[in-house]
Amino acid sequence: MSSGSGTGPRFAVGPGYALYQGPLADSAFHRHTTFQVAVAGAARTVAIEDDTGRRHRGPALVVPPMVRHRMAPTREVLTFYVDPHCAFADRLRTGCGQGVTVAPQWHGLTEREVRPDGGLPATGLDPRLRAAMAALADGQQPLESLAARVGLSPQRLRALARRQLGVPLARWRSWQRLSRAALALGEGCSPAQAAFAGGFADQAHFTRWMRELTGLTPSQVLPALRGAEGGAGDTAGGGAGDTAGGAAAQPGRRAV
């Protein structure tokens, strides 16, 4: 694996993952719905603080879903957000502890390595859970009717999601909304328009969920989103023309 370098900050969304590459100011404490893989840039190490105050430092760090943490400021980081329902998440579960894990084996991870398994389902994912996730990704639906649709009680569906994904279904749905909103921002929409495209109530709702799920705000990632249009380099070594779709899109990706 070899780390690529872009010409400026970059944010992209692809099937089963999103990524940010660039500088990072001090972020707020937050919990991801996804796995996070933070890969050090020029500073050679990246640091993440957990909610006990312990600072973890290494060439690459893995944070499982729902672990509260914040990233330390750095001149450059490449951070991947990997959906827990995709096949690449299976690789991250191996050797990943309950909290922040120093993972030097992922130093130099590239988007080209994540992309193929990002578009495939995780091993052993219950087909009823997959059906529920597909319905949630397509639109609004109360949990009771969703559970009945896949032949489970609401309690069993919640437990299944917790066991196999590691996150509540409601938070997973918020991540899908956030992915759609980020795509809309990258396509030139205003934050208010992007919030509507993602299914959020308003711009403030969108901002709250982005901060909660990534530690960042739309205004912080907007330069990276719009900068990609100017041709920021692909972390896998390709150009801006080799680009990604949405988090639930078909394989192939579109830089945003």
Side-chain angles (χ1 to χ4, degrees), residues 13-196:
V13 181
Y17 71 92
L19 69 86
Y20 170 78
Q21 183 175 28
L24 188 69
D26 196 13
S27 67
F29 273 105
H30 57 284
R31 291 183 177 92
H32 295 301
T33 302
T34 61
F35 281 90
Q36 179 183 10
V37 186
V39 180
R44 298 181 181 272
T45 61
V46 63
I48 292 179
E49 180 183 353
D50 63 28
D51 62 358
T52 70
R54 181 183 176 188
R55 179 164 288 201
H56 307 260
R57 185 182 297 273
L61 302 172
V62 177
V63 186
M66 301 304 293
V67 172
R68 191 167 182 265
H69 67 286
R70 68 178 178 185
M71 291 194 65
T74 181
R75 288 183 298 161
E76 183 184 13
V77 66
L78 172 59
T79 185
F80 293 90
Y81 305 96
V82 179
D83 283 344
H85 70 282
C86 78
F88 194 81
D90 287 338
R91 298 172 63 184
L92 296 176
R93 289 184 182 95
T94 303
C96 182
Q98 296 297 310
V100 181
T101 302
V102 178
Q105 68 272 25
W106 295 118
H107 186 239
L109 180 65
T110 68
E111 185 179 1
R112 184 165 293 167
E113 292 173 88
V114 176
R115 193 186 315 142
D117 285 345
L120 298 175
T123 302
L125 200 62
D126 192 293
R128 296 168 297 180
L129 178 57
R130 290 176 62 181
M133 292 165 67
L136 278 177
D138 288 341
Q140 299 274 7
Q141 190 167 167
L143 181 64
E144 290 74 14
S145 60
L146 181 65
R149 178 175 173 176
V150 299
L152 292 170
S153 68
Q155 295 77 12
R156 289 195 63 190
L157 180 57
R158 288 192 189 98
L160 188 61
R162 282 281 192 177
R163 185 172 69 251
Q164 296 199 347
L165 298 179
V167 298
L169 273 177
R171 288 182 69 94
W172 179 87
R173 178 171 58 184
S174 294
W175 175 255
Q176 305 307 306
R177 290 174 172 172
L178 189 63
S179 298
R180 292 196 298 269
L183 284 168
L185 275 178
E187 291 169 350
C189 290
S190 69
Q193 291 169 328
F196 178 78

